[in-house]
C-alpha cells in the first residue's frame, strides 16, 4: 500500500479570538505531526504494534476569530460536502458570542461535529453547560494552557470517532435502501399473487355469502323459536282460558255489551295466536319455498291497526295512499304491527298521534311510521334493532326486545332496509323500504336448497 493510501485527511476548525492560539494548534497538529513523541502517542491511542503500519492522519486546519464566523464556516463546509469533523472552541471571545452560544449554533447547523471547549476559567459549571447544551457524547473540555500531547490525543481520537460514526450512518442508509428494495420486490410479488387468485376468490365469494346467510338464519331461528313459543303463546293461553271461563260461567250475569267485548277478546286472541304461528312459520323462511301474495296495504294496514286496539288518547292516521305490494302476508302484518305497537307502547303524551306514510323512492316504496312520543337518544339507534335490547321504560310499557329485531329481519328478507330518526322529547320516525318488484326469488330458492 502506498503512503498516499495510508494518509487520511481530517478537517478541524479552531474558533478562538487569540491568533497565538491558532499558531499553537498549527504547531501541535501540523508542524510537529511527524515528531517521534507524537508517533509514539498515535501508537498508544490506536494500539498499533508498529507505528509505521498505522494509517497516517493529516489534519487540515481552518481558523475563525469569532463564534459567528465559525458558524458560517461550518455551514459553508457542510454545503460544499466537506464538513468539519472537529472544532476547538474558546469559551471567551469578546465582543461576540461566547463558547456556549457558538456551540449551540454549530450543532443547529451540523449536529455531528465533535466539539472541544477550550477555557482557562470556570465561566460555567459542568451542570450549567449540560443544561444549555444537553448531555452529549460529542462534547469534551480542554483546560488552558494546553498540553501538546493532550491536544494531539483529542484530535486523533475525536476525528477517528467522527469517521466511524459516519461509516455507521452510511451503512445504515445502505441497509435501509436494501430493505426498501426488498420490500418493494415483495410487494410486487404479493400483487402478482393477488391477481392470480382473483378468479378463485370471485368464484368462492357467492358461496361464502350464502353460507354466512344460512348460519345467521339458523342462529336467529333458534332465538325466534324460544321467544315466540315461551313469551307470547303462554300469556295468550292464559288470556284465552280466563276469557272462556268468564264467558261460560258469567255470560248470563253480564250485559250484552260486556259479552260482546268478551267475544271480541277471544277472537283477537285467536287471531294473535294465528299470527304467532305465522312468525314461527317465518323461522323456516330460507329453507322452504314461500309463495308471496299481492297485498293491498290500503285495506291491510287498517286491519293491523284494528288488531292492536290503540287507546283512545292515541290517534293513528294513514297519511298517503298505500300501494299494492308482493309479499308474505303474515310477514307484512308482523312488520306493521311491531312498529305500530312499539309507538303505542312508549307513548308518553296525553294526546298522542301516529302517522303512517308512504312515498315512491326509485325502485322502492319508502314507508314511515312517525309519532310524537318520548324520542330515542342517538346512541341507541343501532342497538334497538338487536335481539332483546329494550329502551329504559316503566313496567307498563316494557317490551320483549324482539319486535324491532323481527321488523329489521322482515324488511331485509324482502330486500329493503330500515332505520330510525328521532329527537328526544319530540318523537321518532321509523322508516323502511320495500322493493316494488320481487327480484329475490332465485336467490331465496338457492338459499333454501343449501339450508336443507
Amino acid at each position: 500500500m502506498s503512503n498516499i493510501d495510508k494518509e487520511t485527511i481530517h478537517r478541524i476548525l479552531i474558533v478562538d479570538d487569540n491568533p497565538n492560539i491558532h499558531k499553537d494548534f498549527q504547531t501541535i497538529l501540523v508542524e510537529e505531526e511527524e515528531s517521534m513523541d507524537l508517533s509514539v502517542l498515535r501508537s498508544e491511542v490506536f494500539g498499533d504494534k508498529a507505528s509505521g503500519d498505522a494509517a497516517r492522519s493529516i489534519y487540515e486546519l481552518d481558523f475563525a476569530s469569532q463564534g459567528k464566523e465559525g458558524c458560517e464556516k461550518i455551514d459553508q463546509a457542510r454545503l460544499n460536502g466537506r464538513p468539519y469533523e472537529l472544532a476547538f472552541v474558546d469559551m471567551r471571545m469578546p465582543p461576540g458570542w461566547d463558547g456556549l452560544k457558538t456551540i449551540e449554533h454549530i450543532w443547529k447547523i451540523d449536529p455531528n461535529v465533535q466539539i472541544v471547549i477550550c477555557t482557562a476559567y470556570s465561566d460555567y459549571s459542568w451542570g450549567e453547560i449540560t443544561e444549555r447544551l444537553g448531555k452529549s457524547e460529542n462534547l469534551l473540555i480542554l483546560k488552558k494552557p494546553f498540553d501538546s500531547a493532550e491536544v494531539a490525543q483529542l484530535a486523533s481520537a475525536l476525528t477517528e470517532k467522527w469517521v466511524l460514526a459516519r461509516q455507521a450512518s452510511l451503512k445504515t442508509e445502505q441497509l435501509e435502501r436494501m430493505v426498501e428494495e426488498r420490500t418493494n420486490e415483495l410487494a410486487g410479488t404479493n400483487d402478482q399473487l393477488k391477481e392470480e387468485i382473483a378468479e378463485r376468490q370471485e368464484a368462492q365469494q357467492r358461496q361464502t355469502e350464502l353460507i354466512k346467510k344460512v348460519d345467521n338464519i339458523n342462529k336467529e331461528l333458534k332465538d325466534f323459536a324460544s321467544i315466540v313459543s315461551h313469551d307470547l303463546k303462554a300469556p295468550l293461553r292464559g288470556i284465552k282460558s280466563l276469557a272462556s271461563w268468564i264467558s261460560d260461567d258469567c255470560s248470563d250475569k253480564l250485559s250484552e255489551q260486556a259479552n260482546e267485548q268478551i267475544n271480541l277478546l277471544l277472537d283477537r286472541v285467536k287471531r294473535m295466536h294465528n299470527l304467532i304461528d305465522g312468525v314461527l312459520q317465518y323461522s323456516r323462511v330460507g329453507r322452504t319455498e314461500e309463495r308471496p301474495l299481492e297485498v293491498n296495504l290500503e285495506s291491510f294496514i287498517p286491519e293491523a291497526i284494528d288488531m292492536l286496539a290503540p287507546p283512545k288518547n292515541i290517534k293513528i292516521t294513514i297519511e298517503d295512499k298505500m300501494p299494492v305490494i308482493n309479499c308474505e302476508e303474515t310477514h307484512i302484518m308482523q312488520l306493521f304491527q311491531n312498529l305500530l305497537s312499539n309507538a303505542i307502547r312508549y307513548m308518553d303524551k296525553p294526546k298522542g298521534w301516529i302517522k303512517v306514510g308512504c312515498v315512491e323512492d326509485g325502485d322502492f316504496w319508502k314507508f314511515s311510521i312517525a309519532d310524537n312520543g318520548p324520542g330515542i337518544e342517538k346512541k341507541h339507534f343501532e342497538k334497538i334493532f338487536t335481539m332483546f335490547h329494550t329502551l329504559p321504560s316503566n313496567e307498563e310499557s316494557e317490551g320483549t326486545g324482539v319486535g324491532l329485531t323481527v321488523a329489521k329481519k322482515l324488511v331485509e328478507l324482502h330486500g329493503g332496509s330500515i332505520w330510525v330518526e328521532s329527537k328526544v322529547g319530540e318523537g321518532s320516525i321509523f322508516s323502511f323500504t320495500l322493493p316494488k318488484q320481487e327480484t329475490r326469488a332465485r336467490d331465496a330458492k338457492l338459499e333454501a336448497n343449501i339450508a336443507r
Side-chain angles (χ1 to χ4, degrees):
M1 181 181 293
S2 66
N3 291 333
I4 296 177
D5 293 333
K6 290 186 176 183
E7 291 181 351
T8 302
I9 298 176
H10 300 287
R11 304 198 72 210
I12 299 176
L13 177 65
I14 314 299
V15 185
D16 198 300
D17 62 335
N18 188 344
N20 292 327
I21 297 296
H22 296 180
K23 293 180 180 179
D24 290 341
F25 277 103
Q26 179 74 20
T27 300
I28 295 170
L29 297 178
V30 178
E31 296 176 7
E32 297 183 359
E33 173 62 21
E34 293 307 315
S35 69
M36 181 61 69
D37 291 340
L38 292 181
S39 297
V40 173
L41 176 62
R42 186 189 300 111
S43 299
E44 293 176 353
V45 170
F46 291 103
D48 296 322
K49 295 180 179 179
S51 60
D53 295 334
R56 182 166 172 263
S57 295
I58 303 297
Y59 298 116
E60 179 184 327
L61 301 188
D62 201 355
F63 303 92
S65 298
Q66 292 292 316
K68 190 171 183 180
E69 179 188 1
C71 288
E72 291 173 354
K73 287 180 176 290
I74 291 283
D75 188 41
Q76 190 61 46
R78 181 184 60 85
L79 294 175
N80 293 338
R82 300 184 67 242
Y84 292 104
E85 302 169 23
L86 171 63
F88 289 89
V89 181
D90 187 27
M91 184 61 78
R92 290 185 176 184
M93 294 179 288
W97 298 344
D98 66 4
L100 289 188
K101 188 170 184 179
T102 301
I103 295 169
E104 287 176 334
H105 283 79
I106 286 176
W107 276 346
K108 287 181 181 178
I109 299 170
D110 186 352
N112 297 317
V113 178
Q114 306 291 312
I115 300 288
V116 176
I117 298 176
C118 303
T119 179
Y121 307 96
S122 299
D123 297 70
Y124 299 94
S125 67
W126 178 247
E128 292 173 327
I129 293 174
T130 56
E131 184 177 354
R132 285 186 59 178
L133 300 179
K135 293 183 178 180
S136 174
E137 60 180 13
N138 296 344
L139 179 67
L140 292 175
I141 294 179
L142 178 64
K143 290 290 186 179
K144 295 179 179 179
F146 302 143
D147 179 271
S148 297
E150 197 172 12
V151 172
Q153 183 183 30
L154 287 173
S156 180
L158 293 178
T159 53
E160 185 67 17
K161 177 186 173 188
W162 185 92
V163 170
L164 293 175
R166 184 178 180 86
Q167 290 175 349
S169 177
L170 294 174
K171 186 64 175 178
T172 300
E173 292 177 2
Q174 181 183 5
L175 290 174
E176 288 177 349
R177 286 195 298 270
M178 291 174 62
V179 170
E180 183 178 1
E181 291 173 359
R182 183 57 177 163
T183 300
N184 292 335
E185 181 181 345
L186 291 174
T189 302
N190 187 47
D191 291 340
Q192 184 178 357
L193 289 174
K194 286 182 179 180
E195 293 177 1
E196 291 176 356
I197 63 175
E199 293 184 2
R200 180 179 178 183
Q201 287 180 333
E202 185 177 354
Q204 291 178 337
Q205 183 176 358
R206 181 56 183 167
Q207 179 181 0
T208 301
E209 290 176 355
L210 292 177
I211 292 174
K212 184 177 179 180
K213 287 181 181 180
V214 171
D215 290 341
N216 290 337
I217 289 171
N218 289 336
K219 181 180 181 301
E220 292 172 4
L221 289 180
K222 184 178 179 180
D223 295 333
F224 276 127
S226 175
I227 192 64
V228 169
S229 62
H230 183 270
D231 288 356
L232 297 182
K233 279 194 171 182
L236 284 178
R237 284 194 294 268
I239 294 172
K240 180 179 180 181
S241 298
L242 181 59
S244 297
W245 176 80
I246 294 175
S247 178
D248 293 340
D249 295 350
C250 304
S251 60
D252 55 341
K253 300 177 183 179
L254 299 175
S255 65
E256 181 178 350
Q257 184 179 5
N259 281 310
E260 288 180 359
Q261 295 295 332
I262 291 294
N263 291 332
L264 180 60
L265 176 62
L266 288 170
D267 181 63
R268 288 185 174 173
V269 167
K270 181 179 178 181
R271 294 173 68 183
M272 184 60 72
H273 191 278
N274 292 337
L275 182 59
I276 292 172
D277 284 339
V279 174
L280 290 174
Q281 184 179 4
Y282 160 76
S283 68
R284 295 190 293 272
V285 172
R287 292 182 294 175
T288 59
E289 287 194 50
E290 303 286 342
R291 290 187 177 182
L293 302 174
E294 287 192 351
V295 178
N296 188 345
L297 297 183
E298 192 73 24
S299 58
F300 192 80
I301 294 178
E303 182 180 352
I305 296 173
D306 182 61
M307 289 183 64
L308 293 172
K312 293 182 179 180
N313 69 310
I314 299 177
K315 183 179 181 181
I316 302 178
T317 57
I318 300 175
E319 300 295 304
D320 305 300
K321 181 175 177 60
M322 293 293 131
V324 176
I325 62 173
N326 195 25
C327 64
E328 310 282 339
E329 187 174 20
T330 54
H331 292 178
I332 206 67
M333 175 67 77
Q334 183 75 355
L335 173 59
F336 276 98
Q337 284 198 333
N338 282 357
L339 295 175
L340 289 169
S341 64
N342 210 55
I344 294 171
R345 180 184 301 112
Y346 289 98
M347 180 59 65
D348 62 343
K349 304 295 190 302
K351 291 186 178 180
W353 53 258
I354 300 173
K355 298 178 181 180
V356 182
C358 179
V359 294
E360 291 189 63
D361 186 10
D363 294 332
F364 293 83
W365 294 109
K366 178 183 175 183
F367 297 91
S368 62
I369 296 180
D371 65 67
N372 65 333
I376 302 170
E377 293 184 67
K378 189 174 182 179
K379 64 181 180 180
H380 295 299
F381 282 7
E382 294 295 332
K383 295 180 180 179
I384 58 176
F385 292 105
T386 59
M387 184 70 75
F388 305 126
H389 181 88
T390 59
L391 296 175
S393 61
N394 55 44
E395 292 184 0
E396 293 181 358
S397 63
E398 185 177 1
T400 62
V402 177
L404 291 179
T405 307
V406 172
K408 182 175 185 294
K409 186 62 179 178
L410 290 171
V411 169
E412 292 177 349
L413 179 69
H414 288 82
S417 58
I418 186 169
W419 66 96
V420 63
E421 301 168 78
S422 183
K423 290 186 178 180
V424 175
E426 298 182 16
S428 305
I429 303 175
F430 282 85
S431 302
F432 63 92
T433 58
L434 294 176
K436 293 180 180 179
Q437 300 293 331
E438 182 65 47
T439 59
R440 302 179 70 251
R442 182 182 302 174
D443 288 345
K445 184 175 181 180
L446 179 58
E447 292 173 358
N449 292 333
I450 291 176
R452 286 175 180 175

